């Protein structure tokens, strides 16, 4: 590395206000943006930037400072207002200890990147409030519960107007595709599609001679007039003096407040990370301080450091302490060791260790409910109920191990395509044969997955988060029941009507508790357990153990893990060793070589990649045309009547592939849009999430649960797939379930926030799905877990598209 480019970009509302302000206000915003950048770089010089020396960089070297060059950009590549600075830091620094110039320790910089970003936003917010009196308000995010903070008074529609750069190339390419069909009366060929894509890229690329700031400002004012009229300078002036929060000094916050904040920080980090470092805590601290205004940047930093120190003190260090004397030359003036710096210490929480200990204990406890071997044999020797096939040998063995083990907590390891669903159906049949109908319940990571698994396995299945929410209400319901029963007992002479009413309420509360409480002998099957967090699994297993029930975690340690603090499934499998029930026969894919390759890919063996490459399943090329080639291959499969998936690791590529697929369907007349197609104006589409539009005929996915939007006995869930049947002028859309019946009208606010196109998907959403063919966009940063999931969805073929130009070693064979 010659250097590191640190990019400091204010919130979009700051760029919008700066773009439309008078010259004086514009200069103030720019000046304080630069001051914020300078402060953060100075902070990083003192707290983050380090060099290293010794074997394997064991010694952390303090440095005299960094050499950096900063330059400002006014706009994005799409000429949207985007005030931001690039600070290019040279990868050489002078060590304090011996005056030698060494490279920077990029590991520490990588860990601190989020902290520096959050600090820049906090400092900038304070400076702008101090100078202009602007207020700040929390806004929601599409795919995160964490709020973002924007200047109060800057509307979402105006910010969306100036956030169109990401889809500009794709939109231009879609327009070219529509024009091509209108002019020639046919779809472009694959080669023609690539040429259209290249033309769109060149046509939307910024000119080498960039427009001046005055010219850009004129364009911004013209675009803004559709949202706020022509008095834009006055509109910006009206944003001033809206702050109603005090500007705090570091000593204004008492210790109890800091301790409460530290507890919130620790809880937030521990929910997402099984292990963490000081920088994780510090970044979270700066996030929760965005809603507080400070008198100076130093006050903000001081408070953040104090809160973080408290959170560190309440954490448990997993890094072994130094066991030997540290020579004086490796000790800093503050007494800390350069051989064991704080930046390398790994922490966890006692709560997580306790949860893991309870889970391990449940897996080792063998006094839980069981089923006899004779019952297992009777079921596994016959076909499954309602099916013309039975369990295979490995499936039957796994069912027997689980049913007769007596473990309160059991596991079932099922690699991709090995028949976990059939095994769960067999386990359910065995258990109900011994303990009766309704003795098995299921849990799944999402409501949509729960519905699918419930239908496939034949049991009542609920979303894990929803089930836990209801289970946690038991204590509240019991307290209400006790209080109500106590009032009735204290007033035995109440009227008979009041007595009947009170008795009815008690009975309702008893019923509500019974609905939520597990029963002795029940079996709880948790599907895709690797996606469940440790704390969630601990609660489920604790509930099962207290009730005398049994829990089975079904999943694969080699696939994607939980967003929350996870790893518990892998921990439990490792604790069982070779005794863990595991499926071994890959059934989903049909080629023998691919069955073997998928197993090797699961284990991270290089030979797996060679196998995919040798059979023509790895396609390299330039990043510019790779999405188009992937799309054409997917479309050929769809046109041939195959079910197929387009998969990408990141949301931006998913959105690009979705736009590409939709453009083709619009041009073919399969989807109504608001652009001119084949000389006719189609029905007007509706704006939905991620800046996309949908029309009649589009395939979409809903991204949020809403039990009030019902389709018969089912309701709208996160992950449900639909076909748009109507669009309305108020922004609402009517949709019909994909491959089934049931229609519902999605309100405008739901459609705008929680509806997306469904032609492409991420690997996380694809986990658990099975199709005929799959096409996955991968890159050098794709992890093994993501690659394994993406490469195992298709029965007939799984193809990997990568922006790599290295040719295969020999011609591909038929696969």
């Amino acid at each position: 590395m010659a250097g590191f480019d640190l990019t400091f970009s204010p919130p979009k509302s700051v760029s919008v206000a700066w773009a439309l302000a008078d010259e004086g206000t514009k200069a103030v915003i720019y000046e304080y943006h630069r001051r914020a950048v300078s402060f953060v770089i100075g902070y990083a010089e003192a707290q983050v930037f380090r060099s290293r020396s010794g074997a394997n960089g064991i010694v952390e070297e303090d440095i005299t400072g960094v050499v950096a060059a900063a330059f400002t950009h006014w706009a994005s590549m799409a000429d949207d207002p985007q005030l931001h600075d690039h600070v290019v830091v040279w990868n050489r620094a002078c060590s304090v200890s011996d005056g030698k110039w060494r490279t920077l320790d990029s590991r520490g910089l990588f860990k601190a990147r989020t902290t520096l970003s959050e600090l820049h936003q906090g400092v900038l917010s304070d400076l702008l409030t101090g100078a202009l009196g602007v207020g700040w308000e929390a806004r929601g995010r599409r795919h995160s519960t964490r709020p973002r903070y924007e200047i109060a008074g800057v509307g979402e529609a105006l910010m969306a107007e100036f956030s169109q750069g990401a889809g500009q190339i794709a939109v231009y390419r879609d327009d070219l595709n529509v024009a091509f069909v209108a002019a020639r009366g046919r779809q472009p060929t694959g080669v023609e599609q690539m040429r259209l894509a290249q033309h769109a890229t060149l046509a939307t690329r910024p000119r080498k001679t960039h427009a001046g700031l005055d010219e850009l400002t004129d364009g911004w004012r013209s675009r803004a007039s559709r949202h706020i009229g022509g008095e834009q300078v006055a509109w910006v002036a009206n944003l001033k003096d809206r702050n109603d929060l005090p500007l705090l000094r570091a000593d204004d916050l008492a210790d109890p407040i800091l301790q409460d904040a530290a507890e919130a920080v620790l809880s937030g980090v521990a929910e997402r990370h099984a292990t963490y470092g000081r920088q994780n805590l510090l970044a979270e601290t700066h996030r929760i301080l965005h809603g507080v205004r400070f008198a100076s940047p130093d006050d903000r930093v001081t408070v953040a450091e104090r809160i973080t120190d408290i959170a560190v003190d309440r954490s448990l260090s997993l890094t072994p302490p130094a066991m030997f004397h540290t020579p004086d030359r490796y000790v800093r003036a503050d007494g800390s060791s350069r051989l064991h710096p704080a930046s390398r210490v790994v922490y966890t929480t006692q709560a997580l260790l306790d949860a893991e200990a309870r889970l391990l204990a449940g897996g080792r406890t063998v006094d839980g409910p069981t089923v006899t071997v004779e019952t297992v044999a009777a079921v596994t020797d016959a076909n499954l109920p309602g099916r013309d096939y039975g369990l295979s040998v490995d499936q039957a063995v796994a069912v027997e191990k689980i049913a007769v083990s007596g473990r309160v907590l059991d596991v079932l390891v099922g690699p991709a395509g090995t028949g976990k669903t059939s095994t769960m159906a067999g386990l359910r049949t065995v258990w109900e044969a011994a303990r009766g109908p309704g003795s098995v319940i299921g849990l799944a990571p999402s409501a949509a997955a729960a519905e699918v698994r419930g239908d496939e396995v034949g049991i009542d299945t609920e979303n894990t988060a929803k089930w836990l929410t209801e289970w946690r209400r038991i204590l509240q319901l019991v307290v209400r029941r006790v209080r109500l029963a106590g009032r009735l007992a204290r007033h035995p002479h109440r009227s008979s009507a009041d007595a009947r009413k009170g008795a009815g309420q008690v009975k309702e509360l008893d019923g509500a508790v019974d609905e939520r409480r597990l029963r002795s002998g029940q079996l709880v099957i948790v599907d895709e357990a690797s996606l469940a967090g440790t704390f969630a699994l601990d609660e489920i297993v604790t509930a099962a153990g207290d009730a005398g029930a049994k829990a089975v975690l079904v999943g694969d340690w080699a696939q994607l893990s939980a967003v929350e603090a996870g790893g518990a499934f892998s921990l439990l499998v490792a604790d069982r060793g070779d005794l863990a029930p595991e499926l071994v026969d890959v059934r989903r894919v049909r080629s023998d070589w691919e069955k073997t390759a998928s197993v090797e890919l699961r284990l991270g063996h290089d030979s797996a990649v060679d196998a995919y490459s040798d059979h023509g399943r790895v396609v390299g090329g330039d990043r510019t045309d790779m999405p188009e080639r992937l799309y054409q291959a997917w479309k050929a499969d769809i046109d041939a009547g195959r079910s197929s998936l387009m998969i990408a690791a990141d949301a931006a590529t998913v959105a690009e592939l979705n736009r590409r697929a939709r453009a083709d369907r619009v041009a073919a007349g399969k989807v109504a849009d608001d652009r001119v197609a084949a000389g006719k104006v189609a029905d007007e589409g509706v704006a939905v999430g991620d800046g996309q539009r949908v029309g009649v005929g589009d395939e979409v996915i809903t991204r949020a649960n809403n039990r009030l939007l019902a389709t018969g006995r089912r309701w709208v869930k996160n992950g449900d797939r639909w076909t748009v049947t109507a669009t309305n002028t108020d922004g609402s859309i009517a949709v019909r379930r994909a491959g089934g019946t049931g229609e519902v009208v999605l309100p405008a606010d739901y459609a705008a926030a929680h509806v997306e196109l469904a032609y492409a998907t991420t690997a996380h959403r694809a986990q658990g799905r099975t199709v005929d063919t799959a096409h996955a966009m991968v890159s050098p940063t794709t992890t093994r877990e993501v690659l394994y999931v993406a490469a195992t969805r298709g029965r007939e073929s799984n193809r990997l598209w990568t922006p790599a130009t290295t040719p295969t070693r020999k011609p591909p064979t038929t696969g």
Side-chain angles (χ1 to χ4, degrees), residues 348-368:
T348 190
T349 62
Q350 186 63 51
L352 184 75
L353 292 182
D354 291 343
E356 290 180 343
R358 286 189 293 268
L359 288 170
L360 288 171
R364 297 166 184 171
T365 302
V366 292
D367 60 358

Side-chain angles (χ1 to χ4, degrees), residues 17 64 118 164 177 204 214 257 263 299 345 401 450 487 509 558 579 587 624 686 696 753 797 805:
T64 59
E118 301 292 346
Q164 300 176 5
N177 192 71
T204 56
D214 289 343
I257 296 177
E263 194 61 39
D299 291 310
V345 179
K401 281 185 176 182
R487 287 198 299 269
L509 289 171
L579 299 178
R587 296 169 175 78
T624 303
V686 169
V696 176
S797 170
T805 57

Side-chain angles (χ1 to χ4, degrees), residues 207-229:
R207 298 184 298 274
K208 291 184 180 295
T209 302
H210 295 284
L213 183 55
D214 289 343
E215 183 180 348
L216 288 171
T217 300
D218 290 341
W220 295 334
R221 293 193 185 285
S222 176
R223 292 167 61 185
S225 64
R226 298 194 292 268
H227 301 274
I228 57 176

